[in-house]
Amino acid sequence: MDLMVEATPRRVFANAHTYHINSISVNSDYETYMSADDLRINLWNFEITNQSFNIVDIKPANMEELTEVITAAEFHPHHCNSFVYSSSKGTIRLCDMRASALCDRHSKFFEEPEDPSNRSFFSEIISSISDVKFSHSGRYIMTRDYLTVKVWDLNMENRPIETYQVHDYLRSKLCSLYENDCIFDKFECVWNGSDSVIMTGSYNNFFRMFDRNTKRDVTLEASRENSKPRAILKPRKVCVGGKRRKDEISVDSLDFSKKILHTAWHPSENIIAVAATNNLYIFQDKVN
């Protein structure tokens, strides 16, 4: 008989969320973790399943006054009292649990001023943050919105120190992406083990890597056609207009149903996992 792998829940932490949970983050004390939904963040102890502490609550008294929701949250990798959460308005709040039991006052507020020349009907939607991740060092925060990845220094709140364009060629396609609901897709982002490279997904089963030191970037594709074992991934290029070269793909022929929302990077080695629809791909650095 084939080997069957089955997951069985050891504990169920129930009845603390009214809305879909978007984030779970384990604390560096390894005793507690937090879970976040659209309006609340709860703190749990691993040993206590029937009780949690509400540490963030942004639900207004009148739901008609609701202007933003929580989109992601994560604990600091070393300081067990600190955590960040991002919002649909493109802002990030750093909170300190030592300040008060309910963290309704942030200790730092990160937001980039909007460029008036880029203002459009879609500005608010594409500025919504879909993922937030502390660097392993704890010095930086990385955020992902619809078109970009940004790196923030914890000591500088008024603008990111780095901005990387993930798929800027889609800026002219926002209208059709709004009509087919793709504009609401939530892409994740990850750091490599040394915080020198960041990775995030795109459409057409493409995923992007940005080297923070050399400023080089690459687009790779996770697909069955080129996933023979030990096959080397070839960089892909998207052609926006004008004459298309032989190895380029036109922006009009991208498949928006094939998207890479979830990626992971091994904590110490150059091994990555990429989830493309119902396939999981694992790639590693070239072995000579």
Side-chain angles (χ1 to χ4, degrees), residues 123-169:
S123 295
E124 228 166 86
I125 303 171
I126 64 172
S127 67
S128 175
I129 292 172
S130 55
D131 198 17
V132 59
K133 291 268 172 45
F134 272 107
S135 61
H136 296 85
S137 66
R139 168 85 190 265
Y140 305 104
I141 312 169
M142 168 168 56
T143 59
R144 171 76 153 94
D145 56 39
Y146 191 64
L147 295 177
T148 66
V149 171
K150 291 172 181 165
V151 176
W152 304 75
D153 188 316
L154 277 189
N155 301 320
M156 193 165 89
E157 298 168 59
N158 59 341
R159 60 188 168 85
I161 54 166
E162 297 159 29
T163 300
Y164 300 97
Q165 301 296 333
V166 178
H167 38 215
D168 203 47
Y169 47 79

Side-chain angles (χ1 to χ4, degrees), residues 9 16 24 36 43 45 52 58 62 75 85 118 134 172 194 250 274:
I24 288 178
L43 180 70
N45 186 297
S52 66
I58 64 164
N62 178 5
F75 268 120
Y85 69 92
N118 278 342
F134 272 107
S172 60
S194 61
S250 161
V274 175

Side-chain angles (χ1 to χ4, degrees), residues 55-174:
I55 51 175
V56 173
D57 187 347
I58 64 164
K59 186 177 181 181
N62 178 5
M63 281 297 274
E64 285 177 9
E65 292 168 11
L66 184 68
T67 57
E68 65 180 329
V69 293
I70 298 165
T71 55
E74 191 180 51
F75 268 120
H76 191 283
H78 312 302
H79 304 313
C80 60
N81 52 285
S82 296
F83 67 93
V84 290
Y85 69 92
S86 58
S87 91
S88 55
K89 277 192 166 174
T91 61
I92 309 116
R93 289 172 174 84
L94 178 75
C95 299
D96 187 342
M97 292 192 293
R98 294 173 302 188
S100 65
L102 186 67
C103 300
D104 47 3
R105 284 198 188 92
H106 49 264
S107 51
K108 289 195 175 183
F109 182 77
F110 301 85
E111 183 178 28
E112 185 173 27
E114 191 186 26
D115 180 356
S117 62
N118 278 342
R119 180 97 189 125
S120 75
F121 171 76
F122 304 108
S123 295
E124 228 166 86
I125 303 171
I126 64 172
S127 67
S128 175
I129 292 172
S130 55
D131 198 17
V132 59
K133 291 268 172 45
F134 272 107
S135 61
H136 296 85
S137 66
R139 168 85 190 265
Y140 305 104
I141 312 169
M142 168 168 56
T143 59
R144 171 76 153 94
D145 56 39
Y146 191 64
L147 295 177
T148 66
V149 171
K150 291 172 181 165
V151 176
W152 304 75
D153 188 316
L154 277 189
N155 301 320
M156 193 165 89
E157 298 168 59
N158 59 341
R159 60 188 168 85
I161 54 166
E162 297 159 29
T163 300
Y164 300 97
Q165 301 296 333
V166 178
H167 38 215
D168 203 47
Y169 47 79
L170 295 182
R171 206 175 279 277
S172 60
K173 303 273 176 212
L174 292 177

